[in-house]
Amino acid sequence: MRNRKVVKMLTWVFSLFLFIGLLFIIKYQRRNMYCNDFLVKIDSPNSKSFVTNEEITRKLADNGFLPDSLKIKDIDLNELESVIISDPFVKAVDFSFSFDGNLYIKIFEKEPLIRIFTKNKSSFFLCTDGTIVPADLDGAAHVPVANGNITIPNVKSVINKSVIEQDTISSCMKDLYQLTTLILKNDFLKSQIEQIYVLDNGEYQLIPKLGNHIIEFGKPEDLKSKLENLEVFYTKGINQVGWNKYDKISLKFNNQVVCTKN
């Protein structure tokens, strides 16, 4: 009985070492394999993707990443990531190798939050992660717009920069990011607010989709409470009098909604 237990234990230990050895052999053989192909998958939250498989494949080829000429062990994934992430529309990238030598590349695309039009007619998207990307693809994102007194002398110099981390990009970029984020988190306001206008005095106006009024938001402060007051007015007040009764709805006064008619 005792000998049987010893034999069983030795068999188990031998099997374990054999399994580990096979894993090392497979890993060694795979590392010395030539990469069969780059298989790119785009994970996009947008109705129309900003990034295509063909663009990524071409970008990699232009930087010397040709799959059939590279051994798996020679592929620098950090360098590969740097090449892909240099595309301003790419948020993150994941890699995985298959046993047959394919490199799977999963790309996570950024999601535009709002489209900005500057005073000098430049245009770009501000994304949900706080970065700025070019607005090259018309119709690629159905998002609110912001315009008015927004000044960025050189838009190209801030592409892929974060408005959350850098206050020097523009005095109002961070405020627009925070305000739009709150609006889009609220399903009702998301469906109602389509434009933010920045006045010369730094105050904001919101332009709704429904109704002929303008919402005087005031300075970009107390954002949450102002939006909560606006939602309450829309859902409980304006239905009683009609959407076109007032010309202006002001949120500028502390915890009040003041309506006026010209």
Side-chain angles (χ1 to χ4, degrees):
M1 183 70 117
R2 193 171 192 181
N3 288 339
R4 189 179 297 175
K5 285 184 177 180
V6 171
V7 171
K8 191 174 181 180
M9 183 177 292
L10 288 174
T11 302
W12 186 86
V13 171
F14 176 76
S15 299
L16 178 62
F17 276 104
L18 180 62
F19 177 72
I20 294 172
L22 286 172
L23 285 180
F24 274 108
I25 292 171
I26 292 171
K27 185 176 180 180
Y28 176 80
Q29 289 178 337
R30 195 178 72 166
R31 279 177 55 81
N32 283 277
M33 287 173 58
Y34 279 91
C35 185
N36 184 44
D37 200 3
F38 294 152
L39 301 178
V40 180
K41 180 182 178 181
I42 311 294
D43 188 327
S44 175
N46 307 304
S47 57
K48 181 179 178 183
S49 181
F50 288 93
V51 183
T52 66
N53 294 29
E54 293 75 18
E55 288 171 347
I56 295 299
T57 303
R58 185 170 59 249
K59 193 180 188 75
L60 293 175
D62 291 344
N63 285 271
F65 289 99
L66 301 169
D68 55 358
S69 66
L70 291 170
K71 286 186 176 182
I72 289 177
K73 69 176 182 180
D74 295 328
I75 298 176
D76 187 335
L77 294 182
N78 289 328
E79 186 178 350
L80 198 65
E81 181 181 21
S82 295
V83 171
I84 296 172
I85 213 80
S86 65
D87 187 310
F89 297 107
V90 174
K91 182 178 181 180
V93 56
D94 281 342
F95 302 105
S96 61
F97 285 102
S98 65
F99 280 103
D100 55 357
N102 289 320
L103 174 57
Y104 288 88
I105 304 173
K106 187 174 184 180
I107 293 172
F108 299 89
E109 194 176 73
K110 293 179 182 179
E111 182 178 7
L113 182 76
I114 186 169
R115 186 167 185 173
I116 309 288
F117 291 89
T118 67
K119 208 169 183 179
N120 58 357
K121 309 303 180 185
S122 297
S123 175
F124 56 86
F125 286 118
L126 182 56
C127 293
T128 54
D129 66 346
T131 58
I132 291 173
V133 301
D136 294 336
L137 301 179
D138 289 332
H142 301 288
V143 294
V145 300
N147 59 343
N149 188 30
I150 303 172
T151 304
I152 296 181
N154 185 2
V155 172
K156 287 184 178 180
S157 67
V158 298
I159 293 298
N160 233 4
K161 300 289 178 63
S162 173
V163 301
I164 301 173
E165 300 170 358
Q166 300 186 34
D167 294 327
T168 55
I169 291 178
S170 172
S171 59
C172 66
M173 281 298 103
K174 197 169 185 178
D175 294 327
L176 286 172
Y177 171 80
Q178 293 173 338
L179 176 57
T180 310
T181 298
L182 288 173
I183 289 172
L184 297 187
K185 281 182 177 179
N186 182 301
D187 289 337
F188 178 83
L189 294 179
K190 179 181 178 179
S191 65
Q192 174 65 352
I193 305 301
E194 64 178 357
Q195 181 184 351
I196 302 172
Y197 189 83
V198 181
L199 299 170
D200 290 343
N201 63 1
E203 293 187 352
Y204 288 6
Q205 290 180 338
L206 306 183
I207 311 300
K209 294 178 183 177
L210 185 63
N212 296 324
H213 53 272
I214 291 175
I215 302 162
E216 295 182 334
F217 193 83
K219 296 289 185 182
E221 53 197 20
D222 300 322
L223 306 182
K224 191 174 180 180
S225 64
K226 286 182 178 179
L227 291 177
E228 287 174 350
N229 290 338
L230 178 62
E231 183 183 14
V232 170
F233 173 76
Y234 268 141
T235 55
K236 296 183 179 180
I238 204 168
N239 286 330
Q240 305 297 321
V241 297
W243 286 83
N244 296 316
K245 180 175 179 62
Y246 299 113
D247 297 303
K248 292 181 180 179
I249 297 172
S250 178
L251 308 174
K252 294 195 292 183
F253 304 99
N254 185 35
N255 205 31
Q256 296 181 61
V257 177
V258 178
C259 304
T260 56
K261 183 173 176 62
N262 291 336

